[in-house]
Amino acid sequence: MSSQDAVLTKFREYTLGPLRFMNLLSCFELGIVDSLREDTGGGLTAGRIAEKAGVTPAAAEQLLHLLVKEDFVSFDESASTYALDGLRDLTGEDLARVIPWMNMVKEVCLRQLYHLSDSVRTGSVVGLKELFDFDGNFYEASTRYPELQASWGSMMDQVTDFIDPWFYDQLDVGKDTKILDLAGNTGLGAILAYRHKGAQGTGNLQVTCFDFPEKEAEARENFRKHGVEEHCSFVGGDVFQGLPKGYDTVMIKHFLDMFDQENVYRIFQSVHDALEVGGQVQVLVPIYPEDVKASNAVDFFPAYMLGCTMAQGGPQKISTYEQWMEACGFKVTKAISQDISTMPPDVIPVHGIICGTKMAS
Ligand SMILES: C[S@@+](CC[C@H](N)C(=O)[O-])C[C@H]1O[C@@H](n2cnc3c(N)ncnc32)[C@H](O)[C@@H]1O
């Protein structure tokens, strides 16, 4: 293939991406995939699938063409029936990882990215203004619009559930430690930190979730549901207005990538101000690999950060985060990246852990 044809082929794939995406997701939303999963009779006609989905047989047939092309579903020409093919191989765990991402991309990304160029030009999330008449970033908007919180929150909890055990395995916790989970959302990180570390001879481990005050009710309800109210608490605030003092360790998970360098420095400065000398900062953050071509993260984060959530930010290389942490008065004690070869192929972000100790100035 000539290099011109190779580029044109890529353009074709990019153009088709959003249409394929919605075709596949609709097959889940309409219950077409569920009907096929539940079928024990060796195949269903388009008519039967359509009846269950409440759509016309012609529309069901149209949507199924792509799934047949992709070998997700098979079509038996002689019986005119459909059955699961590749989709049969996906476990419940696979779907629990993949579907929240697809829902989030539909709810949070598709509409807002129509305005990506304007968001980049203006440095504001124009999609939120156009769609919700909202001035501010996505995280502020998500406290106001439950549908945004629901789709984004399920994806975020799934990422937290999936990635964070690796982080907690590395988390250094002494006896009677007080941890602040900076930007801890609705408390899942605090609960997981306590669950992973509380039983390891850590004495009276206390984990406080710090996030916007609007998250407090849901966080407290989560602590109650998980029976960890004795060990997990919530403090509302804005990191740019300062952090509460009295903590030994500050965890910062899935947060620094939301900001440009200047604001990452302000966050590190807030943490530095809140900690005593010797206090720890332990960061979990999506990163770009040193070789940008070895990553799917650059396919996702620039458009997501600039057009959907913050109109700034995006991950950095781990070496950059190390430099930034050191520049803000910490001695970096650990910097490691996830091993991509151990991750399922659908997983988009690759994370790094960077830890530091506050040095005497
Ligand atoms: C990507 S989420 C990460 C949530 C959590 N750390 C985790 O690991 O799942 C970013 C969180 O930052 C919070 N946030 C955004 N800006 C903030 C600010 N200025 N001060 C405190 N929290 C903030 C949002 O409300 C949201 O819960």
Side-chain angles (χ1 to χ4, degrees):
M1 190 190 288
S2 70
S3 73
Q4 181 188 16
D5 282 355
V7 174
L8 288 171
T9 302
K10 286 198 177 174
F11 269 65
R12 182 191 68 209
E13 297 304 303
Y14 274 63
T15 306
L16 291 172
L19 292 102
R20 287 182 177 136
F21 171 83
M22 274 317 304
N23 189 334
L24 176 61
L25 186 57
S26 280
C27 288
F28 279 95
E29 289 179 346
L30 292 167
I32 291 176
V33 175
D34 281 344
S35 296
L36 292 170
R37 282 167 78 85
E38 286 156 15
D39 172 48
T40 50
L44 294 174
T45 62
R48 184 77 190 102
I49 293 170
E51 195 182 309
K52 290 178 147 203
V55 301
T56 65
E61 203 173 275
Q62 286 294 323
L63 290 174
L64 281 159
H65 284 314
L66 178 63
L67 277 63
V68 170
K69 176 187 164 186
E70 297 286 8
D71 292 324
F72 293 161
V73 165
S74 62
F75 180 61
D76 180 337
E77 297 270 354
S78 56
S80 289
T81 54
Y82 297 88
L84 288 189
D85 190 1
L87 284 180
R88 195 189 301 280
D89 297 332
L90 299 193
T91 62
E93 201 180 318
D94 290 331
L95 291 174
R97 209 176 44 247
V98 167
I99 298 296
W101 270 87
M102 294 183 80
N103 286 335
M104 187 284 292
V105 167
K106 177 185 167 189
E107 287 292 334
V108 177
C109 303
L110 280 189
R111 292 177 297 174
Q112 282 175 220
L113 286 177
Y114 180 83
H115 305 283
L116 175 60
S117 306
D118 283 339
S119 294
V120 174
R121 260 187 217 111
T122 59
S124 64
V125 190
V126 173
L128 291 174
K129 181 71 184 160
E130 292 293 325
L131 294 162
F132 297 96
D133 195 22
F134 187 83
D135 292 301
N137 69 41
F138 175 82
Y139 300 100
E140 293 157 351
S142 68
T143 62
R144 183 100 55 90
Y145 297 96
E147 71 271 32
L148 292 179
Q149 175 63 27
S151 63
W152 170 81
S154 310
M155 179 279 295
M156 195 62 240
D157 283 351
Q158 180 271 317
V159 170
T160 302
D161 253 342
F162 180 70
I163 304 289
D164 289 20
W166 175 65
F167 174 74
Y168 297 118
D169 284 347
Q170 307 288 332
L171 188 67
D172 207 4
V173 174
K175 201 158 184 311
D176 299 336
T177 297
K178 286 187 174 168
I179 301 178
L180 186 71
D181 184 17
L182 200 173
N185 197 19
T186 50
L188 182 60
I191 294 166
L192 291 175
Y194 180 68
R195 284 268 156 82
H196 277 78
K197 293 291 171 186
Q200 296 179 4
T202 46
N204 181 21
L205 176 64
Q206 293 289 328
V207 193
T208 302
C209 172
F210 177 88
D211 208 294
F212 291 132
E214 290 84 348
K215 308 264 179 166
E216 176 161 4
E218 199 176 332
R220 288 198 187 282
E221 177 58 14
N222 284 335
F223 298 151
R224 197 193 55 74
K225 273 199 295 213
H226 287 84
V228 294
E229 298 138 296
E230 301 277 295
H231 292 275
C232 297
S233 54
F234 185 94
V235 172
D238 178 339
V239 62
F240 296 111
Q241 309 295 322
L243 290 173
K245 292 190 188 318
Y247 294 90
D248 307 297
T249 294
V250 177
M251 318 193 296
I252 315 179
K253 298 189 298 95
H254 313 289
F255 188 57
L256 293 185
D257 55 308
M258 289 164 39
F259 301 96
D260 287 339
Q261 178 178 8
E262 184 191 342
N263 283 326
V264 174
Y265 275 37
R266 288 173 68 201
I267 294 164
F268 278 146
Q269 200 56 58
S270 276
V271 176
H272 197 270
D273 289 349
L275 286 172
E276 299 296 327
V277 170
Q280 308 280 311
V281 59
Q282 313 213 15
V283 171
L284 175 69
V285 66
I287 50 167
Y288 292 145
E290 299 297 319
D291 173 10
V292 95
K293 295 193 176 183
S295 162
N296 292 311
V298 294
D299 304 39
F300 176 76
F301 281 104
Y304 176 71
M305 288 297 171
L306 297 173
C308 305
T309 57
M310 296 295 293
Q312 65 166 301
Q316 303 291 333
K317 294 174 180 174
I318 198 162
S319 52
T320 306
Y321 283 123
E322 283 182 72
Q323 285 161 20
W324 291 1
M325 193 183 267
E326 294 260 353
C328 294
F330 295 93
K331 169 95 189 106
V332 172
T333 53
K334 183 183 283 181
I336 53 172
S337 317
Q338 254 179 324
D339 177 2
I340 304 182
S341 67
T342 62
M343 293 157 59
D346 56 280
V347 172
I348 295 166
V350 176
H351 288 77
I353 295 175
I354 308 109
C355 301
T357 303
K358 175 172 169 172
M359 304 304 288
S361 44

